[in-house]
């Protein structure tokens, strides 16, 4: 396999085909030596044996090697689509101000509605969300170079600091390299604060809160980030600690706080979805699974919900069972009940001693 996207190797390519993973459409093409046909990963046709498949980074390369496009999955259309998506990404990245959907679609020769779907399917976010993420990443880069936060925010093209924080509310996950390596290179400050729900561990990097849990201590933090410099807070993160405590005491007055957390792609998708549940409302695990487009993944959603590293701020307590009972909670069911009660929700059904 030559010239592949550096993130796609033979193994991930085969896994993408095995799972008919649309996200890899346009990134890799699989050609079947026995039939002479090449497909995109999401092709609905039956899977050939692994030893009969070779991978190409582009449809052109597959054709140059003598393969023909599958009539069922039309991999060349994907190729055109991905060129359009890449073109739009380049436009967004070069632009001072994010282009509108209509401008982007016109520039790459697609109808806006169709292009929006295409783009979202390829990258998992809409063009507007992509532009917001890009702007936020630029702000982060500035933050690293320049700790005068407000300047950095204006430098990155935000109208106001509140714009920055409302964007960061939509986003999760930063500096993946540091997280992958147990937090190497990161300084994490923490406090154990008293709260109406008992002692709370609140920890943050320079970019945002990375852990908020009930009844944990420094040791838990060291287990999660074995390579980070862990320090008791010297006041640096005090405003975020206050904000987190407000989110517990008076949820309706909770400020938008920056988060610095990272999970698997699936976990992050679930956590993003949890952040969309409005104050005072609940969802079932099945609702969340449906909302992320994986209605069959109810159990996995429960697990991702349970592995949320920032309680309250990623409101996993707003997810209850379809039958109206509480379900599980890492911080203890009494705390889940209290958090919901503070938002005006009473869960009357009996608690079941079940684990999600
Ligand atoms: Zn096909």
């Amino acid at each position: 396999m030559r010239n592949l996207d550096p993130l796609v190797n033979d193994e991930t390519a085969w896994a993408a085909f095995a799972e008919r993973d649309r996200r890899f459409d346009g990134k890799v093409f699989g050609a079947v030596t026995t039939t002479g046909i090449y497909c995109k990963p999401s092709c609905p046709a039956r899977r050939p044996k692994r030893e009969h498949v070779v991978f190409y980074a582009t449809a052109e390369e597959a054709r140059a090697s003598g393969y023909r496009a599958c009539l069922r999955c039309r991999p060349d259309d994907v190729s055109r689509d991905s060129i359009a998506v890449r073109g739009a990404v380049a436009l967004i990245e070069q632009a001072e101000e994010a282009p509108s959907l209509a401008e982007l679609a016109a520039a790459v020769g697609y109808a806006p509605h169709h292009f929006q779907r295409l783009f979202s399917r390829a990258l998992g976010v809409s063009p507007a969300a992509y532009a917001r993420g890009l702007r936020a990443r630029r702000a982060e880069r500035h933050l690293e170079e320049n700790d005068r936060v407000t300047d950095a925010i204006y430098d990155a093209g935000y109208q106001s600091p509140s714009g920055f924080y409302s964007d960061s509310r939509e986003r999760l996950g930063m500096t993946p390299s540091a997280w992958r390596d147990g937090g190497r290179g990161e300084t994490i400050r923490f406090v154990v604060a008293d709260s109406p729900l008992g002692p709370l561990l609140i920890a943050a990097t320079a970019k945002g809160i990375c852990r908020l849990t009930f009844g944990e201590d420094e040791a838990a933090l060291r287990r999660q980030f074995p390579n980070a410099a862990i320090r008791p807070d010297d006041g640096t993160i005090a405003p975020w600690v206050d904000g987190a405590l407000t989110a517990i005491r008076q949820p309706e007055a909770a400020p938008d706080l920056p988060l610095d957390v990272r999970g698997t792609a699936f976990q992050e998708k679930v956590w993003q979805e949890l952040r969309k549940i409005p104050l005072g409302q609940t969802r079932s695990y099945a609702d969340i699974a449906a909302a992320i487009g994986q209605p069959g993944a109810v159990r996995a959603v429960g697990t991702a919900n349970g592995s949320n590293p920032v309680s309250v701020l990623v409101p996993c307590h707003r997810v209850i069972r379809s039958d109206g009972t509480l379900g599980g909670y890492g911080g203890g069911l009494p705390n889940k009940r209290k958090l919901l009660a503070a938002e005006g929700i009473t869960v009357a059904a009996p608690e079941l001693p079940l684990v999600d």
Side-chain angles (χ1 to χ4, degrees):
M1 187 163 62
R2 288 154 293 143
N3 299 327
L4 268 192
D5 183 315
L7 295 174
V8 184
N9 58 32
D10 256 70
E11 197 184 324
T12 49
W14 176 244
F17 271 84
E19 288 158 24
R20 295 188 167 82
D21 190 337
R22 273 177 186 288
R23 290 171 304 170
F24 286 84
D25 286 354
K27 291 187 179 143
V28 63
F29 296 81
V32 186
T33 54
T34 46
T35 60
I37 300 286
Y38 66 92
C39 288
K40 62 185 182 187
S42 69
C43 181
R46 214 164 66 86
R47 292 293 166 255
K49 287 207 174 83
R50 171 69 187 88
E51 62 264 33
H52 296 151
V53 183
V54 288
F55 297 107
Y56 293 95
T58 64
E60 291 69 34
E61 286 173 62
R63 280 198 301 275
S65 305
Y67 293 96
R68 284 170 296 117
C70 170
L71 292 175
R72 211 162 153 194
C73 68
R74 299 183 177 278
D76 293 354
D77 288 357
V78 164
S79 212
R80 270 199 296 282
D81 290 352
S82 73
I83 288 165
V85 169
R86 266 180 247 164
V89 165
L91 285 173
I92 294 170
E93 292 185 344
Q94 286 153 19
E96 286 277 311
E97 286 210 358
S100 70
L101 174 62
E103 287 165 345
L104 284 176
V108 297
Y110 282 77
H113 182 70
H114 178 60
F115 184 65
Q116 165 106 330
R117 263 207 326 246
L118 200 71
F119 190 102
S120 303
R121 208 160 56 200
L123 298 181
V125 291
S126 68
Y130 183 88
R132 279 200 302 274
L134 178 72
R135 213 165 50 159
R137 283 197 300 281
R138 284 181 180 156
E140 280 158 22
R141 272 205 296 278
H142 281 282
L143 286 170
E144 281 163 14
E145 291 158 10
N146 174 359
D147 49 20
R148 298 183 58 198
V149 174
T150 310
D151 288 353
I153 289 167
Y154 285 110
D155 285 352
Y158 284 93
Q159 300 298 317
S160 68
S162 66
F164 175 76
Y165 289 114
S166 59
D167 272 7
S168 63
R169 184 191 172 90
E170 317 257 307
R171 298 179 44 262
L172 295 167
M174 296 174 194
T175 52
S177 53
W179 284 160
R180 264 202 299 274
D181 195 21
R184 188 179 304 283
E186 294 280 338
T187 297
I188 296 174
R189 298 180 196 282
F190 75 96
V191 298
V192 177
D194 278 328
S195 85
L197 307 180
L200 271 189
L201 172 78
I202 303 174
T205 66
K207 300 190 188 90
I209 295 175
C210 61
R211 196 167 181 88
L212 192 163
T213 46
F214 296 92
E216 281 191 344
D217 60 11
E218 188 179 345
L221 203 53
R222 290 192 184 281
R223 276 196 300 278
Q224 195 194 359
F225 302 107
N227 297 323
I230 309 271
R231 308 260 181 274
D233 184 43
D234 55 2
T236 309
I237 66 168
W240 293 344
V241 171
D242 290 347
L245 292 171
T246 301
I248 291 170
R249 293 198 183 101
Q250 292 173 271
E252 69 288 351
D256 281 343
L257 296 169
L259 303 185
D260 189 5
V261 300
R262 179 142 185 104
T264 63
F266 181 82
Q267 288 172 326
E268 290 191 9
K269 210 150 61 163
V270 170
W271 300 340
Q272 294 273 19
E273 204 54 45
L274 299 180
R275 299 203 93 195
K276 296 182 194 159
I277 308 174
L279 178 77
Q281 295 189 21
T282 58
R283 297 285 183 273
S284 69
Y285 298 97
D287 290 336
I288 301 295
I292 62 168
Q294 292 178 244
V298 177
R299 185 163 283 276
V301 163
T303 307
N305 204 61
S307 56
N308 165 29
V310 281
S311 304
V312 184
L313 304 179
V314 173
C316 59
H317 61 277
R318 292 181 195 146
V319 184
I320 62 175
R321 287 179 177 281
S322 302
D323 65 5
T325 56
L326 272 180
Y329 196 58
L333 288 178
N335 280 341
K336 185 171 188 176
R337 191 182 283 285
K338 282 185 206 162
L339 285 167
L340 290 171
E343 298 181 18
I345 303 165
T346 42
V347 179
E351 290 167 18
L352 298 173
L354 293 175
V355 179
D356 288 294

